[in-house]
Amino acid sequence: MLCKRIIACLDVVNGKVVKGTKFRDHKILGDSIELAQRYRDQGVDELVFYDITASCENRRVHEFWIDSMARFLDIPFCVAGGIRSRDDARLILNAGADKISINSPALENPGLISELVQEFGQQCVVVGIDSRRVHNTFMVYSHTGSELTTKNTAKSTVEWAKEVQTLGAGEIVLNCMDSDGVGKGYDIEQLIAVRQQTTIPLIASGGAKTAMDFVRAFREAKVDGCLAAGAFHRNELCIPDLKAFLIKEDIGVRI
């Protein structure tokens, strides 16, 4: 059985790592290079960098910034931010990223997922889904980097996840917006709903604060990886201690 992955997320604005609550009220928590080095040294399995304002500002994450990261990172890392074409993706991957992640651009043009898979391979194409509960269902939101641009797409989260899989995506990161930054654990119900309808790797995002939050996501929702941001940035969770706890709970992780 494949090991479960621990992923540190860095939401980046102008080279600085920020963190908000429910995708709002972002505060600067550190320098992107310094935090990336810290998590690499602590033994994180992967890093993901989100240029969170790229899509809502109608631009692409800059490849020069990615190149600066690639020069010292020796672990896999994924980059997201306004990637709207094969040319955009090629620049990001050639700059040193191992994976690219698309979110709002995929909603604007679902065929982009298949185009990227055909060009670069399924293993490096990730689709992020920003989702929140609306009445008794889960709905997809787009352009979530700014409160002024965020909008409900009227797409069902579960149905969109199924479509993403059909289009060939190699992985889904489910960002549960209502849990983001709250520190009450992952949205297990929502993760289970998506897990039951998909077979590709699923990454939990939003709400982690304690080691047991990771255990619940792995055991109950059967996710393949857990992503966290604020709990790592604020030193509420230390990655070596987290992995030791998971091993004691019989969760297979890399050491």
Side-chain angles (χ1 to χ4, degrees):
M1 182 177 292
L2 292 175
C3 289
K4 302 297 186 180
R5 286 178 280 153
I6 305 300
I7 302 167
C9 173
L10 293 89
D11 292 338
V12 180
V13 177
N14 297 323
K16 297 297 182 181
V17 175
V18 301
K19 190 70 188 80
T21 301
K22 299 184 179 182
F23 285 43
R24 298 289 178 268
D25 303 322
H26 292 93
K27 296 178 175 60
I28 295 175
L29 292 183
D31 178 78
S32 57
I33 291 179
E34 291 176 1
L35 286 174
Q37 289 176 321
R38 180 207 295 178
Y39 302 140
R40 177 204 61 189
D41 294 344
Q42 287 184 356
V44 77
D45 298 310
E46 295 180 21
L47 293 167
V48 57
F49 298 95
Y50 290 148
D51 184 332
I52 63 172
T53 60
S55 285
C56 56
E57 292 176 355
N58 198 31
R59 61 175 176 81
R60 170 181 47 78
V61 58
H62 209 292
E63 65 271 20
F64 293 140
W65 175 75
I66 297 160
D67 178 74
S68 69
M69 289 292 177
R71 290 178 184 276
F72 70 85
L73 285 177
D74 55 1
I75 59 173
F77 71 96
C78 177
V79 173
I83 300 168
R84 289 185 166 82
S85 69
R86 283 177 287 188
D87 287 342
D88 287 344
R90 187 177 294 106
L91 284 170
I92 303 309
L93 293 169
N94 286 345
D98 299 276
K99 302 178 183 178
I100 50 95
S101 180
I102 55 175
N103 189 323
S104 296
L107 289 161
E108 296 166 357
N109 174 21
L112 177 62
I113 299 171
S114 299
E115 290 178 17
L116 296 178
V117 169
Q118 290 169 7
E119 184 79 12
F120 306 108
Q122 185 181 40
Q123 76 286 345
C124 69
V125 180
V126 180
V127 175
I129 300 178
D130 296 337
S131 173
R132 67 176 7 136
R133 188 186 300 270
V134 180
H135 303 302
N136 294 318
T137 190
F138 303 111
M139 303 299 295
V140 180
Y141 281 70
S142 71
H143 300 86
T144 55
S146 167
E147 187 172 356
L148 298 176
T149 58
T150 298
K151 60 182 178 181
N152 185 337
T153 66
K155 282 181 177 286
S156 157
T157 300
V158 172
E159 292 305 312
W160 176 232
K162 290 165 61 178
E163 184 177 352
V164 161
Q165 175 172 276
T166 299
L167 289 167
E171 185 168 292
I172 292 171
V173 176
L174 183 59
N175 303 305
C176 300
M177 296 174 69
D178 293 323
S179 301
D180 177 72
V182 176
K184 294 184 178 180
Y186 296 106
D187 187 334
I188 300 299
E189 179 184 355
Q190 187 169 181
L191 289 165
I192 289 173
V194 172
R195 176 76 292 167
Q196 289 177 339
Q197 298 297 321
T198 58
T199 57
I200 61 175
L202 175 64
I203 308 302
S205 173
K209 186 177 178 66
T210 71
M212 275 307 300
D213 294 332
F214 289 74
V215 172
R216 288 195 64 208
F218 287 131
R219 280 187 181 158
E220 299 176 35
K222 312 296 184 188
V223 299
D224 300 275
C226 283
L227 178 154
F232 291 153
H233 302 337
R234 294 186 292 266
N235 292 309
E236 295 166 351
L237 280 173
C238 177
I239 291 164
D241 293 343
L242 170 61
K243 286 192 170 187
F245 183 85
L246 292 172
I247 290 169
K248 288 182 180 179
E249 293 290 323
D250 293 322
I251 306 293
V253 294
R254 299 180 182 92
I255 57 173

